[in-house]
Amino acid sequence: MWLKPEEILLKNAFKLWVTEKDNEYFVLQRRRGYGEGGGGLTGLLVGTLDTVLDSTSKVAPFRILHHTPDSQVYWSIACGVTKEEIVQHWDWLQQNIMRTLSVFDSSEDITSFVQGKIRGLIAEEGKTSLVLEEDPEKFREALLRFEKWFELPQEEKLVTYYSCSYWKGKVPCQGWLYLSTNFLCFYSYLLGSEIKLVISWDEVWRLEKTSNVLLTESIHVLAHGEDHYFSMLLHLNETFVIMEQLADYSIKRLFDKEAFQREPALSDPLQITKRGLEAHAKSDQFRTFFRLPKEENLLEVHESFLWVPFSHYNTLGKICLSENYLCFASQDGSQCHVIIPMREVVNVEKPDSSSRALTVCVRGKRALRFSEVRDYQRLANTIRSRCGISASPQHSASTEAIRGECQSLINHFEDNPEDVTLMVGQKDSSKAVSTEALMTVFHPQDVENLDPKMLKEKMKEQSWNIHFSEYGRGTSMFFTRKTRDLIVRGVPEALRGELWMLFSGAVNDMATHPGYYTELVEQSLGTSTLATDEIERDLHRSLPEHPAFQSDTGISALRRVLTAYAYRNPKIGYCQAMNILTSVLLLYAKEEEAFWLLVAVCERMLPDYFNRRIIGALVDQAVFEDLIRENLPQLVEHMTDLSFFSSVSLSWFLTLFISVLPIESAVNVVDCFFYDGIKAILQLGLAVLDYNMEALISCHDDAEAVTILNKFFDSVTNKDSPLPPTVQQASVGNNDKTSHPKVDISELIREAYEKYGNIRSEEVESSRKRNKLYVIQTLEDTTKQNVIRVVSQEVRFTAAQLDELYNLFKRQHFRCCYWTMKSPALLHHDPSLAYLEQYQLGFQQFSVLFSLLEPWAFCSTKSPLSLWIFRLIDENQDGLVNFKEFCCALDTLHNGSFTNKLKFLFKLHLPPAFDLPVDGVIRKSPERGRGKVDLQAYLKQWQNEILKKEETIKDLPRIDQTQFIQFSKTLYNIFHGDPEEESLYRAVAHVTSLLLRMEEVGRRLQEPRSPPESTKPASTADSPAAAAAEEEEEDESSPKEAPTTPESSTTTGSHDSQDAGPDLTETEWSFSFEQVLASLLNEPSLVSFFERPVDVHAKLGQAKVAQLKLKANK
């Protein structure tokens, strides 16, 4: 490997290096302790020194130095792992450089020329893979060590590396931590003791920063039930963030593809870099904080002051710029932030050079003044250019066209008011989109009603109007502490839909996708999928007590929104609880707004909640448990098992308390959720438990605790709600006169914010990442246990062996996913499928793993036997093999009786395994995902499996001539390399000869009459069976050539039969399995070979080591 020329000091270097070759300008050296004469104390000391000091010499013990005769300065220009590699570099220098150097006059010119040439070679080599690294030279050296030490496939991408200590027990081992796309690796070499650790990210259960008496601060990794600690990191926080991102990246890519497919920046695992991961993490935080669409990326960050007109002072903060948004967040504790869509910017005034300020003017006659911006001129130009792009002529034209259409519709409805009712969503107009929130239709506010509740509602509206006048209204409104205070007090009914859209960011989605929802409704109309069937089933279960959903108007609107979303996002489709949430959204938002609110909730605010495994909800329950331990120690002391709260709180998270609280109270919770995100739900959950602390501590079992919480939720009211009794939900426990005293929802929310408002959103997100690993791995472990429980009833492997087999099978499934996103196994993986079907192998992956585990080493990856075995065990012929099918085949070969092993080999040479074309591996592609499911077909398949009787040896068809010859060759292949190889070959040759003679005799006895005397010798000697038998007899003297004899016997027999007569060319012979079995049983050497026990544990250990070193299959 060529190195960036670096000056080195040779004063003491000759004690560590030995010169192998030299000339006038170059020296080739070998590290002392390596190669010939190496080892001993010198090798130990030099090796330890190289590892601790991160010397390239540890893995590249050869180097080439450049020097000039009149100079004492040496320059390192190349290193090599092997002598062959360094000699290639040496020869290149002799052929391409040495002749040229003679034309230079000065030593300086020679050195400059050599350095320039070497740098040019390095630049040429690094054009593709290293252009994104901060220090390509250092990285190339680290990559060399990484590849040498861990022997992973070349496709594996090293992301970064750090010096650290790894704690083995209570002893720290200084070494190097390497973080790659799929693996965490550590290497240490101290005085002959080598430590090598390789952990794949998809096997990590815990990843967290910890500290104890010995370790002030370290990173804890839990994998395979073992704890690993890494400390003494110079940049521990940076290291932890990168590790966290790589683990999360692996989880999304391999287990949770619904989320991963929305992140195109990380689509190629071969292009992941440290810089790219850091940029992605910052963009993710940026989007989460400002509730922006997934397409936005953080492009620039500028420190500045923003003039806050309502406070009359400048607040310090950061300007964050993305493709379509200009955002600002304060850093002085004022909790002030503002989001300005570029489409709202009308002008950027000329910057003020004296105060380095610029003013951004937005629609609504508002302006924001940013000052003390370091690069204010460039920022102003960037905003102008982006606004210019967003206000292109095409965009303006389309906007004008849309405005024209809207104006024409308004004029039409003003002239024909009766048409408005049709747009609300009547049964005869299912295509129509409702243009009003259902609450305004079914509960219009009475302006003349001046009861106390309505007066208080008007006062709330007035408070918000005052807030709007000071802080702005719409997308560019300032968000401050006062905004949160107003949210906690309660949002007025008339403003709820508008504020939900604003706080969630859905207003931006809808503004940038005009007409999208209407198109979705039209496209999804009439579609029939599993999701639409589930939607129809749940439509009338959504707030059935509310008048809006007792009529076709509300039901139709709910159907359209849910069906349109299932059509937009088929990976999620429809999940229970979505109907309840959408019902509440439709009450306060227009139909299209409700759709975009649902998008914001499912895809941004509650990620991974609404899928088959509800991973997001399980993660947030784990976060909730952590917060209970931290904030409610009394409860933890009484109830050590907090899993009870997880089971109880699942509906709280999935429905945002809508399913447990009366609707008039639940909407106040939804208000807080749209402003503060999941933090608001966690706070309220803690407040509920705190409110019922004494009762929960005194309860004796879980059922009593559930009753206490249910009574509490029934007692929650909203004393300020202006809704009439017909709209409000009746409490479930109203009949109980001794029920819980009434609790006002506003007081409960206020208490939650006062006691637990110090919980930071950043801490919640960090806890989410930490717990997601554990939740995913727990689900995967449950899947494994269920699969092993099912398979263990069919095989004789122990539970521990099945556990190791499952890990190997799953890792093989992932091996083809590590370095590409287009592997069939990854595309077919669907967590919604049955346990056995979640991980399956295609033919290429199967052949590699089977060759590592089968007992006789007869089945190489390129052998047609692999294909025949794959076809035989692929019972449903879908081109994929599941774990049960794989284990049953291995169990037969490892633990089966002599008869069962022979039957397996016999069936390999029968259809469907033997006769199908080689290129027809995948015969049909199974329908996966959430399409229309044929339940009758599943029931029929299940019934057939139950009624299927066990196959007997008499059920097997006879094996014909071609198949028998191949069967004989397979037996020869099995015995190859065995210590008893010669005797086994002779036994097979004897059995084959005997079978052929028996077949010849049997065929003669079945002939109707004897042939003429003149033809008897010819027919006897020249028939195919006799000829083959004679060939087998000859093979007894030369067993090494036995595999080729069946083919020669076939050609010889057919050639001779042509001379004997035309009637003999059509003669075919075959054997039954019983005949083959009986013949082989007569050979003790064959029986003992097949009944010889196999060390399964050793086989599994060898396969585990060899699996990762195999070349990656793309």
Side-chain angles (χ1 to χ4, degrees):
M1 182 177 75
W2 299 109
L3 301 175
K4 180 182 177 182
E6 286 188 2
E7 184 178 338
I8 61 172
L9 185 65
L10 286 187
K11 183 177 180 182
N12 297 314
F14 288 110
K15 296 178 181 179
L16 300 175
W17 292 89
V18 178
T19 300
E20 299 266 315
K21 295 182 180 182
D22 65 348
N23 58 35
E24 191 177 359
Y25 298 109
F26 300 102
V27 179
L28 190 155
Q29 295 181 329
R30 171 177 54 83
R31 189 72 162 174
R32 195 177 293 275
Y34 294 87
E36 299 176 4
L41 182 60
T42 304
L44 289 178
L45 292 174
V46 173
T48 301
L49 186 66
D50 289 341
T51 302
V52 173
L53 298 179
D54 187 31
S55 172
T56 309
S57 309
K58 172 63 182 174
V59 290
F62 298 92
R63 71 178 182 181
I64 296 175
L65 306 179
H66 163 65
H67 74 107
T68 54
D70 55 350
S71 173
Q72 296 300 315
V73 177
Y74 284 73
W75 300 83
S76 64
I77 59 172
C79 68
V81 177
T82 63
K83 191 166 184 178
E84 291 76 13
E85 180 186 355
I86 204 69
V87 166
Q88 283 183 356
H89 288 338
W90 179 266
D91 292 342
W92 188 90
L93 291 170
Q94 299 299 312
Q95 296 169 11
N96 298 279
I97 300 293
M98 285 297 293
R99 295 178 184 176
T100 311
L101 297 183
S102 60
V103 303
F104 293 101
D105 296 328
S106 67
S107 299
E108 290 79 6
D109 292 342
I110 292 175
T111 301
S112 298
F113 175 78
V114 171
Q115 291 180 355
K117 199 70 176 175
I118 299 301
R119 287 194 178 97
L121 290 171
I122 293 172
E124 194 66 30
E125 286 180 358
K127 273 185 178 177
T128 54
S129 58
L130 303 172
V131 290
L132 297 177
E133 305 302 336
E134 294 176 358
D135 190 345
E137 299 304 324
K138 291 276 187 185
F139 197 83
R140 288 171 80 248
E141 296 177 17
L143 182 60
L144 181 69
R145 294 191 295 273
F146 174 72
E147 292 173 349
K148 175 69 175 178
W149 284 337
F150 303 108
E151 300 179 305
L152 295 170
Q154 290 183 351
E155 293 85 352
E156 183 61 17
K157 177 73 168 65
L158 177 64
V159 175
T160 188
Y161 61 100
Y162 299 95
S163 172
C164 72
S165 289
Y166 170 64
W167 288 79
K168 195 173 182 181
K170 295 183 179 179
V171 180
C173 303
Q174 185 65 29
W176 290 87
L177 179 69
Y178 294 86
L179 307 179
S180 67
T181 309
N182 300 292
F183 300 97
L184 178 156
C185 306
F186 176 83
Y187 184 86
S188 174
Y189 183 88
L190 292 171
L191 298 177
S193 175
E194 185 180 58
I195 297 175
K196 197 180 291 187
L197 182 70
V198 179
I199 302 172
S200 59
W201 292 115
D202 55 84
E203 296 169 341
V204 174
W205 281 64
R206 287 279 187 195
L207 181 62
E208 55 193 354
K209 287 188 287 188
T210 60
S211 59
N212 54 38
V213 177
L214 285 176
L215 310 176
T216 53
E217 198 170 17
S218 63
I219 296 175
H220 171 222
V221 178
L222 173 63
H224 299 297
E226 297 180 5
D227 294 299
H228 307 278
Y229 293 91
F230 302 93
S231 66
M232 302 294 288
L233 285 148
L234 188 61
H235 305 288
L236 188 135
N237 288 330
E238 176 192 303
T239 309
F240 179 75
V241 168
I242 294 291
M243 293 171 72
E244 195 176 53
Q245 290 166 358
L246 285 169
D248 186 58
Y249 168 72
S250 180
I251 289 292
K252 286 181 178 179
R253 184 161 58 93
L254 301 176
F255 297 116
D256 189 25
K257 291 180 294 301
E258 289 100 338
F260 183 76
Q261 288 180 349
R262 298 193 297 270
E263 297 183 11
L266 300 180
S267 59
D268 187 357
L270 299 181
Q271 299 301 321
I272 300 299
T273 63
K274 176 185 172 184
R275 188 182 302 174
L277 285 172
E278 290 172 345
H280 179 265
K282 289 177 182 176
S283 293
D284 199 38
Q285 293 174 356
F286 166 69
R287 288 190 297 263
T288 302
F289 183 82
F290 291 109
R291 307 278 168 78
L292 298 178
K294 287 285 184 182
E295 298 76 25
E296 297 300 312
N297 295 291
L298 182 61
L299 302 178
E300 297 179 20
V301 178
H302 301 267
E303 281 198 359
S304 75
F305 286 91
L306 172 64
W307 174 252
V308 184
F310 47 85
S311 300
H312 302 290
Y313 75 96
N314 282 311
T315 179
L316 175 65
K318 288 186 177 180
I319 300 172
C320 301
L321 195 68
S322 70
E323 289 86 349
N324 299 295
Y325 294 89
L326 173 68
C327 307
F328 176 87
S330 66
Q331 294 179 292
D332 57 2
S334 63
Q335 298 180 4
C336 168
H337 70 272
V338 62
I339 304 164
I340 308 170
M342 293 295 186
R343 64 179 184 274
E344 296 290 324
V345 176
V346 294
N347 188 26
V348 179
E349 293 184 2
K350 188 176 180 180
D352 180 2
S353 57
S354 60
S355 59
R356 295 185 296 179
L358 68 154
T359 304
V360 179
C361 303
V362 297
R363 288 178 186 155
K365 297 181 179 179
R366 296 186 59 225
L368 292 92
R369 187 175 186 273
F370 300 98
S371 58
E372 299 301 327
V373 184
R374 179 176 297 177
D375 203 353
Y376 64 96
Q377 188 71 53
R378 189 172 66 83
L379 177 61
N381 293 333
T382 302
I383 297 173
R384 283 198 193 98
S385 64
R386 294 202 172 277
C387 294
I389 292 170
S390 62
S392 61
Q394 294 86 349
H395 181 83
S396 301
S398 61
T399 306
E400 292 301 324
I402 293 168
R403 286 176 180 168
E405 291 178 8
C406 293
Q407 189 59 45
S408 63
L409 282 173
I410 292 169
N411 295 337
H412 170 77
F413 288 128
E414 286 178 351
D415 298 335
N416 304 278
E418 67 278 1
D419 288 354
V420 176
T421 56
L422 295 176
M423 290 297 289
V424 179
Q426 300 299 324
K427 191 170 184 177
D428 58 348
S429 181
S430 58
K431 288 186 181 181
V433 175
S434 176
T435 57
E436 293 293 336
L438 294 178
M439 194 64 80
T440 61
V441 176
F442 289 90
H443 177 54
Q445 289 190 9
D446 186 359
V447 180
E448 298 180 358
N449 185 1
L450 296 178
D451 64 16
K453 288 186 176 180
M454 284 304 300
L455 284 174
K456 196 160 188 177
E457 187 76 3
K458 293 296 181 186
M459 290 173 63
K460 282 184 184 178
E461 288 185 29
Q462 186 62 26
S463 298
W464 275 96
N465 287 330
I466 294 171
H467 183 78
F468 291 147
S469 64
E470 291 182 3
Y471 298 86
R473 185 169 188 170
T475 52
S476 55
M477 183 180 84
F478 282 90
F479 295 82
T480 64
R481 277 206 188 98
K482 190 172 181 182
T483 314
R484 179 181 280 115
D485 293 340
L486 288 173
I487 291 285
V488 171
R489 292 177 200 167
V491 175
E493 300 280 319
L495 297 176
R496 188 159 270 138
E498 176 189 344
L499 293 175
W500 285 358
M501 289 288 290
L502 180 63
F503 297 150
S504 66
V507 64
N508 292 315
D509 291 326
M510 193 170 82
T512 53
H513 296 82
Y516 176 77
Y517 174 66
T518 307
E519 291 177 8
L520 273 186
V521 170
E522 292 175 355
Q523 292 169 4
S524 62
L525 189 67
T527 55
S528 179
T529 63
L530 183 60
T532 57
D533 292 345
E534 293 176 344
I535 289 169
E536 289 297 328
R537 183 189 63 206
D538 288 347
L539 282 176
H540 295 279
R541 303 178 187 174
S542 311
L543 302 185
E545 67 286 336
H546 198 285
F549 299 101
Q550 294 170 359
S551 71
D552 188 64
T553 302
I555 294 295
S556 296
L558 181 60
R559 178 188 292 113
R560 287 192 293 271
V561 172
L562 291 175
T563 305
Y565 186 78
Y567 189 83
R568 163 192 166 87
N569 192 346
K571 288 291 182 182
I572 293 179
Y574 170 77
C575 181
Q576 284 189 338
M578 287 173 69
N579 60 320
I580 297 173
L581 177 61
T582 308
S583 301
V584 174
L585 298 179
L586 282 167
L587 290 178
Y588 294 97
K590 299 173 185 178
E591 187 175 320
E592 184 177 4
E593 293 175 343
F595 169 79
W596 287 112
L597 284 168
L598 183 63
V599 169
V601 170
C602 294
E603 298 177 13
R604 285 202 301 272
M605 302 187 71
L606 296 179
D608 301 330
Y609 261 61
F610 301 100
N611 54 32
R612 296 289 172 174
R613 301 197 290 178
I614 56 172
I615 291 171
L618 297 176
V619 170
D620 283 343
Q621 283 181 295
V623 175
F624 187 50
E625 286 185 20
D626 290 344
L627 291 173
I628 292 173
R629 292 188 187 94
E630 185 180 336
N631 294 280
L632 302 173
Q634 288 179 305
L635 197 59
V636 175
E637 289 175 9
H638 179 72
M639 304 181 74
T640 53
D641 183 12
L642 298 182
S643 59
F644 161 74
F645 295 112
S646 295
S647 58
V648 170
S649 63
L650 182 60
S651 61
W652 305 357
F653 292 98
L654 280 174
T655 65
L656 308 179
F657 284 92
I658 295 170
S659 62
V660 294
L661 288 175
I663 185 64
E664 67 276 8
S665 301
V667 291
N668 285 38
V669 179
V670 179
D671 296 339
C672 299
F673 167 75
F674 277 124
Y675 190 83
D676 273 322
I678 194 63
K679 174 176 173 286
I681 305 299
L682 294 168
Q683 289 174 180
L684 185 62
L686 291 173
V688 167
L689 297 180
D690 189 20
Y691 197 97
N692 295 277
M693 176 80 74
E694 293 182 5
L696 289 172
I697 289 176
S698 62
C699 65
H700 299 90
D701 53 34
D702 291 352
E704 189 177 348
V706 170
T707 304
I708 290 169
L709 291 174
N710 285 340
K711 284 185 177 181
F712 172 77
F713 287 128
D714 291 338
S715 70
V716 175
T717 62
N718 188 349
K719 63 183 181 182
D720 298 332
S721 174
L723 299 179
T726 55
V727 174
Q728 295 187 16
Q729 286 181 311
S731 297
V732 179
N734 276 350
N735 296 330
D736 187 359
K737 298 299 181 185
T738 61
S739 62
H740 203 287
K742 297 298 180 184
V743 179
D744 183 59
I745 186 64
S746 297
E747 293 297 326
L748 185 63
I749 290 174
R750 186 178 294 110
E751 185 177 335
Y753 271 92
E754 287 176 356
K755 287 188 175 182
Y756 309 109
N758 59 344
I759 297 173
R760 296 171 61 243
S761 298
E762 293 81 2
E763 294 172 355
V764 172
E765 289 301 320
S766 176
S767 183
R768 271 179 161 180
K769 288 180 181 177
R770 184 175 65 252
N771 284 289
K772 185 175 183 178
L773 290 172
Y774 186 78
V775 167
I776 290 276
Q777 297 293 6
T778 302
L779 291 173
E780 289 295 311
D781 192 59
T782 303
T783 298
K784 178 171 76 172
Q785 297 306 324
N786 286 324
V787 169
I788 290 175
R789 189 179 66 250
V790 171
V791 175
S792 63
Q793 301 171 9
E794 308 281 337
V795 299
R796 286 169 287 266
F797 289 121
T798 65
Q801 289 171 346
L802 280 175
D803 189 278
E804 288 190 49
L805 271 173
Y806 184 89
N807 291 336
L808 286 168
F809 189 88
K810 181 177 171 182
R811 189 179 294 120
Q812 188 66 26
H813 168 90
F814 283 153
R815 267 186 56 78
C816 58
C817 314
Y818 280 158
W819 302 285
T820 178
M821 284 303 299
K822 297 181 180 179
S823 63
L826 187 62
L827 297 174
H828 284 156
H829 174 53
D830 187 348
S832 68
L833 294 174
Y835 289 126
L836 279 172
E837 306 298 323
Q838 286 192 22
Y839 295 110
Q840 302 183 86
L841 300 182
F843 169 63
Q844 294 295 333
Q845 293 76 41
F846 163 83
S847 62
V848 171
L849 184 59
F850 197 82
S851 66
L852 293 176
L853 293 170
E854 52 92 2
W856 305 311
F858 72 104
C859 185
S860 65
T861 54
K862 296 182 179 179
S863 166
L865 275 171
S866 297
L867 181 59
W868 301 340
I869 295 171
F870 183 80
R871 289 170 175 164
L872 178 63
I873 66 179
D874 181 18
E875 294 180 359
N876 59 356
Q877 297 187 353
D878 64 351
L880 296 168
V881 168
N882 63 33
F883 182 67
K884 181 181 177 182
E885 294 168 339
F886 183 81
C887 282
C888 288
L890 271 184
D891 182 63
T892 301
L893 297 181
H894 280 277
N895 304 317
S897 64
F898 174 76
T899 303
N900 287 336
K901 290 177 180 177
L902 195 63
K903 185 168 73 171
F904 183 87
L905 295 173
F906 189 84
K907 288 169 70 175
L908 285 183
H909 302 84
L910 294 171
F914 185 73
D915 277 355
L916 291 180
V918 174
D919 57 352
V921 178
I922 296 182
R923 293 166 288 282
K924 63 177 182 179
S925 180
E927 185 174 342
R928 299 175 180 274
R930 297 175 175 79
K932 192 72 173 176
V933 178
D934 189 352
L935 298 177
Q936 293 296 327
Y938 273 109
L939 291 172
K940 189 176 180 180
Q941 181 183 349
W942 186 40
Q943 184 181 23
N944 292 338
E945 289 179 0
I946 293 174
L947 298 176
K948 185 171 68 174
K949 63 179 182 178
E950 187 175 351
E951 184 181 54
T952 64
I953 59 176
K954 292 185 177 180
D955 297 327
L956 294 173
R958 296 173 70 86
I959 193 169
D960 66 21
Q961 180 177 341
T962 306
Q963 294 163 351
F964 179 74
I965 291 171
Q966 187 60 52
F967 175 73
S968 301
K969 293 175 69 176
T970 300
L971 290 178
Y972 288 132
N973 290 335
I974 288 175
F975 305 143
H976 182 66
D978 191 84
E980 305 293 328
E981 181 177 358
E982 186 172 346
S983 62
L984 291 169
Y985 277 169
R986 291 181 180 279
V988 172
H990 185 264
V991 167
T992 307
S993 174
L994 180 62
L995 283 168
L996 292 170
R997 291 185 184 281
M998 288 171 55
E999 174 61 23
E1000 181 67 21
V1001 172
R1003 190 168 55 79
R1004 279 165 160 257
L1005 291 174
Q1006 291 178 1
E1007 290 179 357
R1009 58 186 179 84
S1010 299
E1013 289 290 327
S1014 59
T1015 61
K1016 274 185 180 180
S1019 63
T1020 302
D1022 298 337
S1023 67
E1030 290 177 5
E1031 292 288 342
E1032 295 293 345
E1033 292 279 350
E1034 294 174 9
D1035 284 333
E1036 292 184 14
S1037 60
S1038 58
K1040 298 295 181 185
E1041 298 178 3
T1044 61
T1045 51
E1047 294 177 359
S1048 59
S1049 68
T1050 308
T1051 56
T1052 305
S1054 60
H1055 176 72
D1056 292 346
S1057 62
Q1058 288 176 4
D1059 298 335
D1063 59 325
L1064 294 177
T1065 58
E1066 299 177 1
T1067 57
E1068 287 288 338
W1069 41 267
S1070 62
F1071 302 111
S1072 68
F1073 177 71
E1074 293 167 292
Q1075 290 175 303
V1076 176
L1077 177 62
S1079 302
L1080 290 173
L1081 282 171
N1082 287 325
E1083 297 292 335
S1085 59
L1086 289 175
V1087 175
S1088 63
F1089 173 83
F1090 281 108
E1091 291 186 344
R1092 187 189 303 164
V1094 180
D1095 189 347
V1096 178
H1097 181 72
K1099 203 75 177 172
L1100 290 170
Q1102 293 166 6
K1104 185 176 180 181
V1105 173
Q1107 191 177 41
L1108 282 177
K1109 295 184 180 180
L1110 295 169
K1111 186 177 179 181
N1113 290 323
K1114 287 197 175 183

